[in-house]
Amino acid sequence: MATAYTPGLKVTNRITHRCRRVLPIPGDVLVGVGDTVNARDVVAQTLMPGDITPVNIANILALPPADVPECMLKSKGDPLEIGEPLARTKGIFGLFKKDCRSKVAGTVESISPVTGQVMIRGEPDPVQVQAYVTGNVIEVIANEGCVIEAEVSFVQGIFGIGGEVFGRIVGACSSHDQELTADLIKPQMKDCIIIGGARMTDQAIRRARDIGAAAVVSGGLDDEDLRDFLGYDLGVAITGSEDLGLTVIITEGFGDIAMAKRTFNLLASREGDDASVNGATQIRAGVMRPEIIIPLSEKEKAREPESSHPDSELKLGRPVRIIRDPHFGLIGEVSDLPAEPQVLESGSKARVLEVKFDSGETVTIPRANVELIEG
Amino acid sequence: MKNIDPDNVRVILATDCGSTTTKAILIQKLDGVYRQTHRGEAPSTVEAPFADVTMGVVNAVTEVSELAGRRLIDDRGRIIQPAGGDEGCDIYISTSSAGGGLQMLVAGVVRQMTGESAKRAALGAGAIVMDVIASNDKRRPHDQIQRIRQLRPDMILISGGTDGGTTTHVVQIAELIAPAKPQPRFGRAYRMPIIYAGNKDAVSMIEGVFDETVDLSIAPNLRPVLERENLGPARDKIHDLFLEHVMAHAPGYDKLMGWVDAPIMPTPAAVGSILSTIAEQQAINAVGVDIGGATTDVFSVFDGTFNRTVSANLGMSYSISNVCTEAGMPNILRWVHFDMDERELRNRVKNKMIRPTTIPQTLEALIFEQAVAREALRLAYVQHKEFATTLKGVQQQRTVGDTFSQLSSGQTIVDNMKLDLLVGSGGVLSHAPRMHQTAMMLIDAFQPEGVTTLAKDSIFMMPHLGVLAQVHPKAAMEVFEKDCLIYLGTCVAAKGVGRPQRTCFEYVIRGETIEESGALAFGEIKLLPLGLGETATITAEPARGFDLGAGPGRRIERKVKGGTVGLILDARGRPLQLPADREICKRTIEEWVTSLDLYPTMVVAA
């Protein structure tokens, strides 16, 4: 039977992490198996074919399309500079000739006698892929890229905006439930990954951007503040390509919500270390969550990993987070798993479980509305 | 397709492989009639780490097998065929929308003419249309090329020009696509399939534009003359290429294609197939809707013409935030009869978007989700009506009698007054705790006029039956009639707008189980009991200015079908207008909620 609960987000102080770094089109791979790479190193590069600019010579020179090829001053494959004549009419008795000059630089890609259209391909754009994570190359994918492996601390967020950035971890809040406000963000946090606690305010995000921080991570965020920062209302959760000068990650959800204690403690324990952060989120088939990756030092690698829950089964005693109102954001442990579906207040019938909070209070929740806290 | 003797078919197995769930149903011949007997589901396994669709199929079929007490999978993990004793099946068929379904880019010369025809062909074949490129789409050629380069379609359809007409423009479109070299979604070894279905005189020129990096196929022109569309051959070509290219590159599909007894169909194409068949056989006009987490599909058959639209970002989980953005929060909250904090709601909506599998636990959350559903369905239907039109660009001959008629070509063919059957499907409609809620969501969003039967396809069986109709039409029809649709009842609604408390229509209803008469004032809605399998005759006389199907103020007499909800008499008027004043609106909605007994009594903080 399909699992009726949501697998949780990964938060672990130690994991062997692999990332695949590939080019969008074939190119050169600059590293070999066994190489040690730094997050900012370029591991593969290529030249992306330049932009295409169509020029309708027949229209510009008022010629029948079929006459265009013989009026061309440039042939297919010829390079071209801005302002250079591309085609010239024959004129009348060799006089009154009219030129068509190119408005772009590039190479003539095709000349059509059917439409009288000439395609000019612009200069190729270099595309580079960085390692993103400091680690070792364990596989080279010929002409495409490589796979990098590293021992890291790994934190998955629930939602983010902005792409890949690197920086030093720096704490701004003293506890997991402290709101991240603008006054907590200092100029010395420039280029850093700022760790907050509970909800981050609109002013805090703007302040982080203004001082030149690489990323800001906190428990929650108001949707209205997200809309104001983005400049538009986000319709679907497919992000990562925003160019806002700051990557923003929330670990728990929207609204007034504190960062899970475990996540906060892990990030706080890595203060001062370099991390790779990506806000890209895709909540569709092939789900992608934002991430904070902190490579381990040799000394840390020697340490025992913290205990974790290796299985993803819903069992008595498993810590879970409630992910929908009326108890949204609360964390407790599974205290009962009734087999029979129950009728909810909404009138729907669904399989439920009982969650016990630290206070001793218990609540009944649909299984679909909890997620496992994964280690 | 295998040679199957329909008379010897006793057991049929069908699967539908979605992006998240693979659903299996078992159909068996019982006492000479085909009935759907068991169903099962399992998570789909198209994506890593499994990357083999057949694993999900085997899991879903295993669940059916356990429930039915019939062995359907052998020790090698393959479906047992043919049926014998307590094991195996005679026919195995499947549909697929996994991996986001079939994604296409279409191009035409004039956006409203060949561009729309190409879009119709692609949508009818079950595709999601990523963009329509046309000479007059108001983008500069450079921007069009950039757009083509960004997209990663599975296939491209190019149309343009009528046969014998000018060739220049359609070649120009091809010249934009060729250098853009759009990258396919699946693998670099994949050659982009491009179908050309435009002016036949331009075929050799089009062939000259593309090189060997694409796989160019030619289909007959889908708009040979302005007055006629010929979408069939292009649709067939899309299906062929879907199987040859897209499916063959999706993980595990090569294996699945070897198992099935009929070609795998894209899920929406299968739904279109069964809806068209039903509309044709029963001589009715029908609309079907499937509201999912990310998208809403609307299918319609009016006067034999089939149309389908996909509203790509209108859905109840992944796209719920987009519904709120497009409709606007006030439009959603107008369906809610109590106050809610907008800031809090915005956060809740986003939390549903980022955790799409959660379900409403409180009644308040359920009412809000059903309000969102009304707006998602309404917007999807508006888009459908705008798309399902008569052909645009057709010259019309006008007589003196048409002098005052300003109708032009390109009018919508969707006419709610002519609609006979409205079928809803998808989680929010199928799993509503009370079927009354399903019926009311359909009525509020689609606003049927006159007499319309309402039904739901509770387990979304239509895709399975669409493919089955290709191999065993009799079995498909029998199961559709008996097991697929759950009839909710009939809605009788008057078109027109009047003044509150003034009579809208008077009615007399006679049937074996019902004998009712009365009058409804404008703004009222009433539910009368008429059970599943029961019928009655309604005679209704609309007041001046109201129309029930026979014309303004004219009496109708119609036979109506009962259902799990009953007979709904709707005098709220069409178009349905909700009071602009929030307090009056809340009271109005509360009256409707009470009349239809939509929700259990709730206590909500004012």
Side-chain angles (χ1 to χ4, degrees):
Chain A
M1 201 189 135
T3 47
Y5 57 90
T6 314
L9 304 170
K10 205 164 251 322
V11 176
T12 176
N13 73 340
R14 185 171 170 180
I15 190 173
T16 304
H17 180 72
R18 283 182 183 180
C19 63
R20 199 179 147 91
R21 307 294 292 167
V22 292
L23 291 161
I25 56 166
D28 302 321
V29 181
L30 308 176
V31 291
V33 173
D35 288 358
T36 300
V37 290
N38 187 282
R40 289 178 173 84
D41 290 348
V42 174
V43 293
Q45 64 182 21
T46 190
L47 290 173
M48 195 85 154
D51 289 348
I52 279 278
T53 306
V55 183
N56 199 319
I57 306 270
N59 281 357
I60 294 167
L61 297 181
L63 292 172
D67 291 355
V68 168
E70 55 193 67
C71 289
M72 289 296 295
L73 299 173
K74 298 281 179 185
S75 308
K76 202 170 150 183
D78 283 353
L80 196 66
E81 292 302 323
I82 294 175
E84 217 178 327
L86 181 59
R88 181 173 293 149
T89 57
K90 288 177 186 158
I92 303 164
F93 305 117
L95 299 169
F96 310 112
K97 290 179 181 175
K98 200 174 154 193
D99 281 357
C100 171
R101 290 174 186 274
S102 178
K103 289 180 182 166
V104 292
T107 312
V108 176
E109 175 143 317
S110 68
I111 303 162
S112 171
V114 180
T115 61
Q117 193 156 244
V118 169
M119 295 289 175
I120 302 169
R121 173 82 66 183
E123 293 300 319
D125 301 320
V127 176
Q128 295 186 326
V129 172
Q130 289 176 299
Y132 177 52
V133 175
T134 300
N136 297 317
V137 177
I138 57 157
E139 186 189 341
V140 166
I141 307 155
N143 304 321
E144 289 188 37
C146 63
V147 178
I148 296 163
E149 188 180 88
E151 291 286 306
V152 301
S153 295
F154 186 81
V155 174
Q156 258 182 339
I158 188 73
F159 174 79
I161 52 170
E164 293 175 356
V165 290
F166 315 98
R168 191 166 45 84
I169 300 258
V170 58
C173 292
S174 54
S175 72
H176 74 111
D177 53 2
Q178 183 185 2
E179 196 171 79
L180 178 60
T181 49
D183 58 301
L184 297 171
I185 294 170
K186 312 290 182 203
Q188 56 269 34
M189 292 175 177
K190 184 175 185 292
D191 297 326
C192 290
I193 291 153
I194 301 170
I195 308 299
R199 182 177 78 94
M200 57 180 114
T201 65
D202 178 36
Q203 268 80 29
I205 306 170
R206 287 176 196 280
R207 169 95 174 130
R209 185 184 56 188
D210 294 346
I211 62 139
V216 58
V217 180
S218 210
L221 167 70
D222 257 347
D223 178 44
E224 281 184 358
D225 294 341
L226 174 71
R227 182 191 57 191
D228 292 346
F229 185 63
L230 279 174
Y232 57 91
D233 212 343
L234 190 77
V236 287
I238 297 173
T239 66
S241 58
E242 300 78 15
D243 189 13
L244 301 161
L246 181 74
T247 290
V248 178
I249 295 177
I250 52 173
T251 58
E252 317 300 314
F254 287 89
D256 263 320
I257 179 166
M259 188 184 290
K261 230 187 251 175
R262 190 158 162 263
T263 310
F264 180 81
N265 290 342
L266 170 57
L267 292 171
S269 73
R270 304 303 312 271
E271 184 155 2
D273 290 343
D274 281 331
S276 306
V277 172
N278 189 0
T281 308
Q282 181 176 308
I283 305 168
R284 285 284 159 105
V287 65
M288 188 195 276
R289 296 284 185 189
E291 59 192 15
I292 302 143
I293 301 170
I294 317 160
L296 299 181
S297 64
E298 289 307 316
K299 202 174 103 194
E300 284 159 333
K301 281 181 200 167
R303 248 192 257 158
E304 275 294 302
E306 68 179 19
S307 64
S308 64
H309 298 277
D311 59 76
S312 57
E313 242 182 88
L314 199 55
K315 290 195 286 204
L316 292 180
R318 274 299 305 254
V320 289
R321 178 192 280 114
I322 299 171
I323 55 174
R324 180 135 191 181
D325 54 288
H327 303 286
F328 178 68
L330 297 183
I331 289 171
E333 60 174 49
V334 179
S335 55
D336 192 16
L337 283 165
E340 288 303 309
Q342 288 185 16
V343 177
L344 309 175
E345 186 209 314
S346 65
S348 303
K349 212 171 179 187
R351 292 190 77 189
V352 297
L353 52 73
E354 198 180 80
V355 178
K356 188 175 176 184
F357 301 125
D358 282 348
S359 63
E361 187 199 351
T362 58
V363 290
T364 302
I365 303 285
R367 292 191 188 193
N369 292 359
V370 297
E371 75 183 7
L372 297 175
I373 294 182
E374 294 202 356
Chain B
M1 206 181 292
K2 282 186 197 168
N3 233 344
I4 295 163
D5 179 3
D7 296 333
N8 291 333
V9 172
R10 290 186 306 112
V11 184
I12 300 163
L13 179 65
T15 53
D16 176 39
C17 310
S19 286
T20 48
T21 313
T22 297
K23 287 158 262 179
I25 61 164
L26 190 68
I27 294 167
Q28 290 172 289
K29 197 172 188 178
L30 305 171
D31 302 326
V33 182
Y34 290 98
R35 298 297 301 260
Q36 184 262 322
T37 51
H38 300 91
R39 62 184 282 258
E41 61 182 53
S44 289
T45 49
V46 182
E47 307 216 10
F50 313 104
D52 181 355
V53 70
T54 59
M55 290 168 69
V57 167
V58 167
N59 290 343
V61 172
T62 303
E63 191 168 313
V64 169
S65 172
E66 284 165 8
L67 292 168
R70 183 176 191 87
R71 192 166 167 256
L72 292 165
I73 303 283
D74 68 15
D75 297 336
R76 292 175 303 145
R78 291 206 44 168
I79 289 165
I80 301 168
Q81 280 188 292
D86 281 344
E87 62 173 38
C89 62
D90 297 305
I91 295 178
Y92 170 58
I93 48 174
S94 189
T95 53
S96 171
S97 59
L102 168 64
Q103 302 194 1
M104 287 184 71
L105 171 69
V106 304
V109 170
V110 180
R111 190 179 177 90
Q112 298 80 359
M113 292 157 72
T114 44
E116 272 198 9
S117 295
K119 190 176 174 186
R120 259 194 281 273
L123 284 165
I128 288 170
V129 175
M130 304 170 91
D131 203 346
V132 182
I133 303 287
S135 305
N136 67 334
D137 64 14
K138 295 187 179 158
R139 287 177 285 193
R140 292 172 302 154
H142 175 76
D143 297 326
Q144 290 174 318
I145 293 172
Q146 281 301 100
R147 177 76 180 140
I148 300 165
R149 286 180 71 170
Q150 285 164 3
L151 297 172
R152 286 177 162 251
D154 297 320
M155 202 184 292
I156 298 172
L157 172 64
I158 304 172
S159 167
T162 51
D163 284 344
T166 174
T167 53
T168 316
H169 295 102
V170 69
V171 175
Q172 215 160 16
I173 288 285
E175 284 176 356
L176 295 180
I177 293 170
K181 295 197 191 311
Q183 300 290 310
R185 280 195 299 160
F186 296 111
R188 295 189 176 120
Y190 180 92
R191 283 166 69 211
M192 174 66 71
I194 295 182
I195 301 166
Y196 174 69
N199 184 353
K200 63 181 181 188
D201 296 348
V203 169
S204 59
M205 296 170 214
I206 295 285
E207 285 169 339
V209 170
F210 292 103
D211 59 19
E212 69 291 342
T213 56
V214 303
D215 179 27
L216 180 68
S217 320
I218 310 294
N221 193 351
L222 49 77
R223 196 85 182 252
V225 288
L226 273 184
E227 292 75 16
R228 187 166 59 85
E229 272 182 346
N230 180 29
L231 305 181
R235 278 182 185 162
D236 292 344
K237 186 57 92 180
I238 295 169
H239 280 164
D240 293 347
L241 292 174
F242 173 70
L243 291 172
E244 277 174 37
H245 290 257
V246 185
M247 285 288 97
H249 282 80
Y253 275 90
D254 48 347
K255 206 163 36 161
L256 187 65
M257 282 197 281
W259 292 3
V260 292
D261 295 316
I264 299 169
M265 274 173 103
T267 306
V271 177
S273 156
I274 191 76
L275 200 68
S276 299
T277 311
I278 298 302
E280 189 188 342
Q281 289 203 346
Q282 300 183 1
I284 57 168
N285 297 316
V287 167
V289 62
D290 176 30
I291 178 165
T295 62
T296 298
D297 279 28
V298 181
F299 309 84
S300 73
V301 185
F302 279 90
D303 299 327
T305 304
F306 168 70
N307 272 291
R308 167 189 172 237
T309 47
V310 184
S311 297
N313 285 324
L314 296 177
M316 291 306 298
S317 57
Y318 301 101
S319 309
I320 189 169
S321 175
N322 196 57
V323 176
C324 297
T325 306
E326 283 202 22
M329 208 51 106
N331 269 338
I332 289 169
L333 290 176
R334 66 191 172 137
W335 299 108
V336 179
H337 55 290
F338 47 85
D339 287 325
M340 296 181 104
D341 176 50
E342 192 168 329
R343 190 180 178 95
E344 164 84 20
L345 275 184
R346 289 185 64 95
N347 286 335
R348 278 198 206 171
V349 164
K350 283 289 190 297
N351 283 324
K352 169 83 178 180
M353 176 184 80
I354 58 177
R355 289 184 169 105
T357 52
T358 60
I359 57 172
Q361 181 177 356
T362 60
L363 187 54
E364 187 192 340
L366 178 85
I367 292 170
F368 177 70
E369 267 200 27
Q370 293 188 347
V372 176
R374 281 173 170 86
E375 285 301 304
L377 293 167
R378 182 183 67 80
L379 291 171
Y381 198 42
V382 167
Q383 289 178 7
H384 185 80
K385 282 195 255 190
E386 282 169 3
F387 180 72
T389 60
T390 55
L391 294 182
K392 290 172 188 159
V394 178
Q395 282 195 349
Q396 298 199 321
Q397 287 191 344
R398 288 175 188 271
T399 63
V400 177
D402 298 324
T403 307
F404 297 105
S405 158
Q406 291 300 309
L407 288 182
S408 58
S409 61
Q411 294 293 311
T412 185
I413 60 168
V414 175
D415 181 354
N416 274 358
M417 190 59 92
K418 284 160 68 180
L419 176 62
D420 300 298
L421 175 66
L422 175 57
V423 185
S425 183
V428 70
L429 294 171
S430 305
H431 300 147
R434 293 185 182 193
M435 292 206 200
H436 298 61
Q437 294 162 6
T438 309
M440 201 58 172
M441 280 187 270
L442 288 172
I443 295 170
D444 288 344
F446 288 83
Q447 300 186 26
E449 296 164 3
V451 181
T452 313
T453 306
L454 308 174
K456 73 169 185 174
D457 175 5
S458 58
I459 58 166
F460 200 39
M461 214 193 297
M462 285 204 282
H464 303 100
L465 300 184
V467 194
L468 184 58
Q470 318 277 316
V471 243
H472 203 308
K474 182 173 177 276
M477 285 307 114
E478 286 181 3
V479 175
F480 185 85
E481 277 297 310
K482 294 193 162 58
D483 302 308
C484 178
L485 293 191
I486 296 174
Y487 285 100
L488 303 171
T490 301
C491 173
V492 179
K495 184 181 173 181
V497 181
R499 290 166 67 180
Q501 312 309 324
R502 294 277 179 91
T503 301
C504 178
F505 63 87
E506 291 172 351
Y507 59 87
V508 177
I509 299 154
R510 287 203 179 88
E512 275 186 28
T513 56
I514 187 170
E515 190 80 41
E516 289 267 357
S517 63
L520 253 78
F522 178 71
E524 285 183 338
I525 186 164
K526 192 180 176 90
L527 173 67
L528 295 171
L530 191 62
L532 206 55
E534 296 171 2
T535 56
T537 302
I538 179 167
T539 309
E541 191 130 5
R544 211 172 134 208
F546 288 101
D547 184 1
L548 284 164
R554 299 180 69 170
R555 200 167 74 116
I556 61 149
E557 187 174 307
R558 291 279 294 272
K559 197 169 173 186
V560 290
K561 240 182 192 169
T564 51
V565 177
L567 178 61
I568 299 164
L569 303 181
D570 186 352
R572 298 176 300 166
R574 297 287 187 272
L576 185 56
Q577 291 167 345
L578 272 73
D581 181 275
R582 178 69 188 133
E583 288 307 312
I584 302 174
C585 185
K586 275 193 315 195
R587 281 202 299 276
T588 308
I589 296 288
E590 189 152 12
E591 281 166 21
W592 296 346
V593 164
T594 311
S595 302
L596 265 286
D597 191 21
L598 286 189
Y599 304 109
T601 317
M602 65 181 292
V603 181
V604 179

